[in-house]
Structure formats: structure tokens, C-alpha cells
């Protein structure tokens, strides 16, 4: 079942602007109004379908004002991404949004300027209109994060007050004590904190019960089948694009990251050669990480690549003769533990390519892939703590 919202791809929206059939404020408004299902821990009363838990922030005055401004500009002054609402992952600096890495301890770490890559898109008319979640601190691939609701935060604060002999808070607003709280950065650390609080509170059974129940988890859900997940620490950006947002900017590792997420949502994720795009203004876990776009079409990715690579002239897409293509298929590795449904579909696509003249070559890459993956993981484990520490100290 498709969950595609209007508006569509970058090319489709820009064509609508030029024809006069679309207005920037209309496109922006459609995405914001229909984006409720993408919110983290969205209200399930809105729809019988569960929240996809993909976006942590959406809309805002700055984005709205930019959409109004874009509608007022003359057509001849359009930038390449004029009036295109985009999503930026929460580990990338976007002015006015928290660079939080989807952990509550950084929820007030508001970026004062755009990352260079975000700024390049902004200069071409893009509207930074939403922020997607990442797996907390980028330390995982399922984006199943703790739901830090106001109720849970108050419960933790109340336990802290009881432990010091004071009365629990009764205010509806978040307590001042939360500003000083040393929030855990992982689910495991949170559970450890909860257990400690239970012991501290001791005889107060009501508090112990509420803490033991613990915070709820907000799993990122697949846009076409909410019973399934989308893999990758930046997968939420892909979910947003699959639901109609024309473009997202996320970070990618050498292990696939958002390219895997994009493929699982039927999208295009592009990881450029290291150094092709600006490589600052975001949090990464290793030297193998890099920023890249997620879009609905190859054409859109080429437009964004031209902008981020700062090339003066765009290159036209020239169709290549399929009978000149040779594609390797790592059968042994790729076919392991593959469901019959996916395997049948993949085989059908391979046969279709062969009928069009493509040459498919069977290859065995299992050992190479395993060795490279382990090497990258070891480097990331070594570099990640220092990189996160540098980010927190900046």
C-alpha cells in the first residue's frame, strides 16, 4: 500500500512552480499538514495507523516565512531548489534545529548556523522544513529510541526529588530540575538509571512502579508496512522521502547506512567519493562517514550532487545502452537467509535485465565483504568515542 503524499519529486515540484500549477506555500503546507503520521510518538488517535516515528521537528516560523518569501520571488530568479522543502537528519547542523543525535540530553543544542552542505542547498532556494530522527547517538541500526515523553521526564525528576526528601512535582510543565539532569545517552544507560532510582526511592512503591514500567520505545516503522522496520541509523530520512518529502540530507557510513535505507523504501541514496561534498558541520562516528542525499529519482540526486559538489555546470543524464552493461551478482552471499518472496522478485528483475541485453556475472564476494565490514567496524569503535566527545566539547 503506497503512503505517498503529494507533492512528489524535486523535478515534479519545480515543473509545477514553473507552470504556475503549484505554489510554494501550498507544497509546504501539504507536507506539514500531512506529516503528523511521521512524528515521533504521534497521536494514534489521528489515524488507525501507527506513527512512523520518523520526524522530531517539522515546520516552524522560519520555514513558513521562507515559503512565503519564495512565493513572492519572480520566476526568473528561481534557484535550482527554489521552494523545495527538505528534511535534514538530526546529526547535521541546521540553523534553528537541535543537533541532538536524537538523545534528550542534547534536545536544546540548537544549531546557530547551517552545515556547509545544508547551506549550499539553502542558497539554491531549499527550505529546511523538518528534521528526521537518527538511532540515538548513531549507535545502532534500528532507530528504536526511547520515547522521552513529558510524563517520563517528570517521573525521573519526581524520583530525584523524593530521593532528596522533597515532595514530587505537581506542575504540568517540565520541572527546572531537568535542566540539570544528567540524561543517559543510550537505552541501556537509561535502564541502569531507572534501576538506581528504584533503589533510592525504596519504600515509595508508587514511584518504584512508575519507574519500573520505564519509558516506551518508538521504533521507526516502514512506510509501506508499519509491521516492519527500515535499517540504518539515518533510516528515518528515507521514510520521510518515501512519504512524499522530495529530498533529505543524511550521513552515510561505508557499511551502507542510508543507501540501505533508501533501497528498502524504493528510493535513491547516493554516497559520493570522500571529499566531493563539504565534510564539516555534522556528527560522524568515523572517517568513513559522509553526507549525501536521499531522493525519489536519480534525476533529483544528480541535481543535488551538482550543488553539493559546487560544479559550475550540470551534466546531462545520457542513457547508456543496456547491452554494454556487465553486472556482478554475489549469489552465495546475497542469497543467504533471503525470504522466498524477495528472492523470487530479485530473480525476476535479473531475468528482465538479461532480456534487455545486460550481462550478469556470478561472483563470490562473501569473504571480501566480511573482512571489509569488520575492518570498518573496528575503526568506528575506536574513533566514535573521541568524535562524540569532540562534538560535545565544541
Amino acid at each position: 500500500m503506497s503512503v505517498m503524499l503529494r507533492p512528489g519529486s524535486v523535478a515534479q515540484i519545480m515543473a509545477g512552480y514553473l507552470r504556475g500549477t503549484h505554489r510554494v506555500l501550498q507544497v509546504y503546507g501539504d507536507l506539514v499538514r500531512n506529516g503528523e503520521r511521521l512524528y515521533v510518538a504521534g497521536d494514534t488517535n489521528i489515524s488507525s495507523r501507527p506513527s512512523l516515528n520518523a520526524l522530531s521537528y517539522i515546520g516552524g516560523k522560519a520555514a513558513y516565512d521562507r515559503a512565503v518569501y519564495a512565493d513572492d520571488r519572480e520566476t526568473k530568479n528561481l534557484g535550482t531548489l527554489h521552494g523545495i522543502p527538505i528534511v535534514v537528519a538530526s546529526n547535521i547542523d541546521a540553523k534553528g534545529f537541535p543537533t541532538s543525535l536524537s538523545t534528550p540530553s542534547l534536545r536544546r543544542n540548537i544549531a546557530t548556523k547551517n552545515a556547509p552542505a545544508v547551506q549550499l542547498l539553502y542558497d539554491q532556494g531549499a527550505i529546511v522544513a523538518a528534521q528526521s530522527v537518527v538511532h540515538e547517538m548513531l549507535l545502532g541500526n534500528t532507530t528504536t529510541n526511547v520515547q522521552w515523553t513529558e510524563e517520563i521526564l517528570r517521573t525521573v525528576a519526581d524520583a530525584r526529588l523524593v530521593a532528596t526528601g522533597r515532595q514530587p512535582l505537581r506542575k504540568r510543565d517540565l520541572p527546572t530540575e531537568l535542566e540539570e539532569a544528567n540524561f543517559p545517552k543510550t537505552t541501556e544507560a537509561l535502564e541502569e538509571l531507572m534501576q538506581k532510582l528504584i533503589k533510592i526511592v525504596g519504600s515509595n512503591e508508587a514511584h518504584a512502579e512508575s519507574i519500573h514500567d520505564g519509558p516506551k520505545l518508538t521504533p521507526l516503522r516502514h512506510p509501506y508496512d508499519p509491521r516492519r522496520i527500515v535499517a540504518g541509523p539515518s533510516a528515518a530520512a528515507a521514510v520521510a522521502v518515501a512519504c512524499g518529502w522530495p529530498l533529505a540530507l543524511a550521513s552515510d557510513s561505508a557499511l551502507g547506512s542510508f543507501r540501505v535505507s533508501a533501497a528498502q523504501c524504493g528510493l535513491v541514496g547516493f554516497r559520493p567519493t570522500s571529499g566531493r561534498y563539504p565534510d564539516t558541520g555534522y556528527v560522524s562516528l568515523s572517517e568513513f562517514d559522509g553526507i549525501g542525499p536521499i531522493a525519489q529519482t536519480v534525476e533529483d540526486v544528480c541535481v543535488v550532487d551538482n550543488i553539493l559538489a559546487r560544479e559550475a555546470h550540470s551534466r546531462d543524464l545520457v542513457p547508456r545502452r543496456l547491452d554494454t552493461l556487465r553486472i556482478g551478482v554475489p549469489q552465495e552471499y546475497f542469497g543467504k537467509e533471503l525470504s522466498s518472496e524477495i528472492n523470487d522478485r530479485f530473480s525476476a528483475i535479473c531475468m528482465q535485465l538479461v532480456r534487455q541485453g545486460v550481462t550478469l556475472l556470478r561472483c563470490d564476494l562473501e569473504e571480501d565483504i566480511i573482512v571489509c565490514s569488520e575492518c570498518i567496524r573496528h575503526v568506528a569503535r575506536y574513533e566514535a568515542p573521541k568524535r562524540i566527545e569532540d562534538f560535545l566539547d565544541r
Side-chain angles (χ1 to χ4, degrees):
M1 176 185 66
S2 174
V3 297
M4 184 66 69
L5 308 170
R6 302 191 317 266
S9 70
V10 172
Q12 290 170 338
I13 295 172
M14 290 301 296
Y17 289 161
L18 293 173
R19 290 194 307 266
T21 57
H22 290 53
R23 300 278 292 177
V24 176
L25 202 55
Q26 168 201 346
V27 171
Y28 169 82
D30 283 347
L31 288 170
V32 170
R33 283 190 297 272
N34 293 326
E36 57 196 14
R37 192 182 167 221
L38 290 169
Y39 273 127
V40 169
D43 186 354
T44 54
N45 293 325
I46 293 174
S47 168
S48 59
R49 297 172 299 179
S51 168
L52 298 181
N53 298 318
L55 298 181
S56 50
Y57 295 92
I58 186 172
K61 186 177 185 305
Y64 175 83
D65 290 346
R66 187 162 171 82
V68 172
Y69 170 73
D71 264 338
D72 290 340
R73 293 189 66 181
E74 297 182 15
T75 302
K76 64 182 180 181
N77 293 326
L78 294 182
T80 306
L81 296 176
H82 173 87
I84 298 296
I86 68 171
V87 176
V88 176
S90 63
N91 65 312
I92 302 174
D93 289 340
K95 186 177 180 180
F97 291 89
T99 308
S100 68
L101 282 74
S102 296
T103 190
S105 57
L106 297 174
R107 69 193 186 283
R108 291 187 175 85
N109 181 39
I110 308 299
T112 58
K113 63 180 181 179
N114 290 326
V118 175
Q119 188 63 43
L120 287 171
L121 301 180
Y122 185 90
D123 291 342
Q124 288 296 320
I127 302 172
V128 183
Q131 186 180 65
S132 62
V133 302
V134 297
H135 193 108
E136 191 170 5
M137 300 300 287
L138 301 173
L139 300 174
N141 289 299
T142 63
T143 318
T144 299
N145 293 336
V146 173
Q147 179 183 335
W148 284 81
T149 62
E150 183 175 320
E151 177 184 358
I152 293 297
L153 292 174
R154 266 204 313 278
T155 298
V156 174
D158 284 353
R160 285 160 53 86
L161 293 174
V162 171
T164 56
R166 297 157 63 187
Q167 291 298 313
L169 295 171
R170 301 298 179 187
K171 294 181 181 180
R172 177 175 178 78
D173 296 330
L174 290 177
T176 305
E177 279 76 6
L178 291 179
E179 300 294 336
E180 303 172 359
N182 182 21
F183 290 113
K185 296 180 175 62
T186 66
T187 304
E188 292 77 11
L190 177 65
E191 179 63 26
E192 182 179 351
L193 171 65
M194 292 298 180
Q195 294 303 324
K196 287 180 179 179
L197 289 174
I198 291 173
K199 292 179 180 179
I200 292 173
V201 175
S203 60
N204 192 317
E205 293 181 0
H207 280 282
E209 247 183 356
S210 63
I211 295 172
H212 182 69
D213 289 341
K216 298 178 181 178
L217 298 178
T218 56
L220 179 69
R221 295 185 170 96
H222 198 286
Y224 294 95
D225 185 351
R227 298 170 300 175
R228 303 177 186 274
I229 67 167
V230 182
S234 300
V239 171
V241 175
C243 288
W245 287 81
L247 177 66
L249 194 66
S251 65
D252 188 88
S253 70
L255 292 175
S257 197
F258 73 66
R259 287 168 289 170
V260 173
S261 311
Q264 291 179 346
C265 293
L267 305 170
V268 183
F270 179 63
R271 163 65 189 266
T273 302
S274 297
R276 181 168 176 80
Y277 297 167
D279 200 36
T280 58
Y282 74 103
V283 184
S284 62
L285 298 186
S286 81
E287 62 181 297
F288 296 113
D289 293 1
I291 283 181
I294 302 175
Q296 296 178 18
T297 67
V298 173
E299 180 183 7
D300 286 354
V301 167
C302 288
V303 169
V304 176
D305 175 70
N306 180 63
I307 295 171
L308 295 181
R310 293 151 291 185
E311 294 184 342
H313 304 288
S314 61
R315 292 170 292 176
D316 293 332
L317 291 177
V318 180
R320 182 171 176 177
R321 288 177 49 188
L322 294 180
D323 59 6
T324 66
L325 284 181
R326 290 156 54 93
I327 300 177
V329 181
Q331 196 68 38
E332 291 81 2
Y333 180 78
F334 186 80
K336 282 186 176 179
E337 300 182 11
L338 199 61
S339 70
S340 58
E341 180 183 1
I342 299 298
N343 188 60
D344 291 345
R345 180 59 180 156
F346 179 73
S347 298
I349 291 174
C350 287
M351 292 304 299
Q352 185 178 356
L353 290 172
V354 170
R355 286 194 293 270
Q356 295 296 322
V358 176
T359 300
L360 298 184
L361 302 175
R362 185 167 180 163
C363 55
D364 184 7
L365 300 177
E366 182 171 6
E367 185 176 347
D368 295 330
I369 292 174
I370 292 174
V371 170
C372 289
S373 297
E374 285 303 307
C375 175
I376 292 168
R377 287 192 178 97
H378 283 302
V379 171
R381 289 191 188 106
Y382 175 78
E383 292 187 347
K386 182 66 169 75
R387 286 173 176 261
I388 291 177
E389 183 180 349
D390 290 344
F391 162 70
L392 295 175
D393 289 341
R394 72 180 187 179

